[in-house]
């Protein structure tokens, strides 16, 4: 489906169309999930504004994954299968590669640091929200397990990426001081 007209007025009464033409309320669990994925995608786009490295291509690749998952979710009972196991392997490899460059964790890391690291932490927390929405979706709708695994891994990727960016910028990580 391609967007040819942005303003249709068909949603003015709080309903929207799914990819199969079914009308649902805009607060439908499926729409909430698709919306949270869209929000994560926007945060990733914002995170890339000042990023001029291979990491930008990786994040753009993740954005493509999010659109693929959204497309699958937009058509109930669909067998699009746009999300492939190879993407899980890709994320796992990225996590392993990045983590091998990082010093061992001694304590929990406080979100923040540099501008880019802070943005990636926001992406991480939004990714966890998507994961929670996906679990809620699975309570009433058929859940594609690969989606759940992907978002679980993706939040780990964002965590190690935020740490790597701090390291690349030669900035310290702020650790939790539970003794205060």
């Amino acid at each position: 489906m391609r967007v040819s007209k942005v303003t249709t007025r068909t949603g003015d009464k709080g309903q929207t169309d799914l990819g199969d033409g079914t009308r649902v309320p805009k607060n439908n669990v499926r729409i909430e999930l698709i919306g949270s994925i869209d929000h994560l995608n926007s945060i990733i786009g914002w995170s890339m504004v000042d990023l001029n490295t291979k990491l930008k291509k990786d994040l753009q690749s993740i954005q493509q994954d999010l659109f693929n998952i959204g497309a699958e979710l937009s058509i109930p009972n669909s067998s699009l299968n746009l999300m492939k196991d190879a993407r899980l392997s890709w994320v796992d490899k990225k996590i392993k590669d990045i983590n091998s460059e990082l010093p061992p964790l001694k304590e929990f890391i406080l979100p923040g640091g540099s501008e880019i690291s802070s943005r990636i932490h926001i992406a991480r927390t939004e990714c966890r929200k998507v994961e929670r929405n996906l679990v809620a979706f699975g309570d009433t709708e058929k859940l594609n397990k690969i989606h759940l695994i992907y978002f679980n891994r993706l939040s780990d990727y964002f965590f190690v990426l935020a740490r790597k960016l701090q390291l690349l910028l030669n900035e310290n990580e702020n650790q939790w001081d539970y003794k205060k």
Side-chain angles (χ1 to χ4, degrees), residues 4 12 16 28-29 33 37 40 53 62 70-71 73-74 91 110 113 142 173-174:
S4 59
D12 289 352
T16 191
N28 174 281
V29 67
L33 176 56
I37 293 170
L40 172 59
T53 66
I62 290 166
L73 289 167
S74 73
V91 173
L110 298 177
K142 184 179 175 191
E173 293 177 314
N174 294 318

Side-chain angles (χ1 to χ4, degrees), residues 30-96:
R30 184 180 301 271
I31 299 304
E32 286 288 338
L33 176 56
I34 292 169
S36 66
I37 293 170
D38 186 37
H39 190 235
L40 172 59
N41 212 339
S42 295
I43 292 169
I44 294 168
W46 176 53
S47 298
M48 292 187 297
V49 167
D50 297 320
L51 202 56
N52 193 11
T53 66
K54 183 184 180 313
L55 295 175
K56 188 172 189 173
K57 286 189 177 189
D58 289 349
L59 292 174
Q60 289 170 333
S61 179
I62 290 166
Q63 287 186 304
Q64 294 292 332
D65 290 341
L66 298 183
F67 261 84
N68 284 340
I69 292 169
E72 288 182 20
L73 289 167
S74 73
I75 304 174
N77 305 312
S78 163
S79 57
L80 284 176
N81 295 321
L82 299 173
M83 192 65 192
K84 306 291 184 199
D85 286 335
R87 293 304 295 163
L88 293 178
S89 299
W90 179 86
V91 173
D92 280 336
K93 182 177 181 336
K94 291 293 178 182
I95 294 168
K96 183 179 178 185

